Amino acid sequence: RDFKCRGMSSVTSLNERAFVKAAAKEERRVDGRPLLGSRHVRISLLEGNSGAEAQLGQTRCVAHVQAEIVKPSADKRCEGLVAIELHASPMADPAYESNRIPDSLKGA
C-alpha cells in the first residue's frame, strides 16, 4: 500500500512523515500500540458530583458543570437563560489563544 499524506507537508516535517509511513507499514500506531490496540480508559466523578475527569492513556480531560435555577422576572415569566462557558488551554487546539473566543465558537 502507498500511504499519501495529502495536505500534511505544511504541518509535518519529512522525518515525521517518514515515521508515520513506517509505522503504518508495520501496522502500528505512532505511539507504538497495535492498530487495534486500545488505551486504558478511566472515568471518575469530581468531588461533589459537579463534574468528571476522563483519562485515555496519558490524555486527560476535566469537565465541570454548574447550574442555577432562579425565579423569572414578573414581566417575562416564560423566558429563561442558558449560558455556556468554555475554558481551554492552548494544548486543546494550536489555534486557541488564552482569553480569546475561537472563531469556530463565535455565534454558536
Side-chain angles (χ1 to χ4, degrees), residues 9-87:
S9 60
S10 62
V11 293
T12 57
S13 69
L14 292 174
N15 286 339
E16 289 169 323
R17 283 190 282 161
F19 176 78
V20 170
K21 286 180 180 181
K25 285 180 183 174
E26 294 175 16
E27 296 190 358
R28 299 195 76 62
R29 297 173 185 253
V30 294
D31 63 3
R33 288 182 291 130
L35 288 178
L36 299 178
S38 62
R39 295 184 281 176
H40 176 73
V41 176
R42 184 176 146 254
I43 299 174
S44 57
L45 292 176
L46 298 177
E47 199 172 305
N49 294 331
S50 62
E53 175 185 30
Q55 285 185 286
L56 283 94
Q58 298 297 316
T59 305
R60 185 174 155 219
C61 179
V62 177
H64 173 77
V65 178
Q66 182 177 347
E68 180 182 4
I69 299 175
V70 296
K71 187 175 180 179
S73 61
D75 60 329
K76 297 180 181 180
R77 305 187 93 199
C78 294
E79 292 185 22
L81 175 69
V82 174
I84 299 173
E85 275 187 50
L86 171 67
H87 299 273

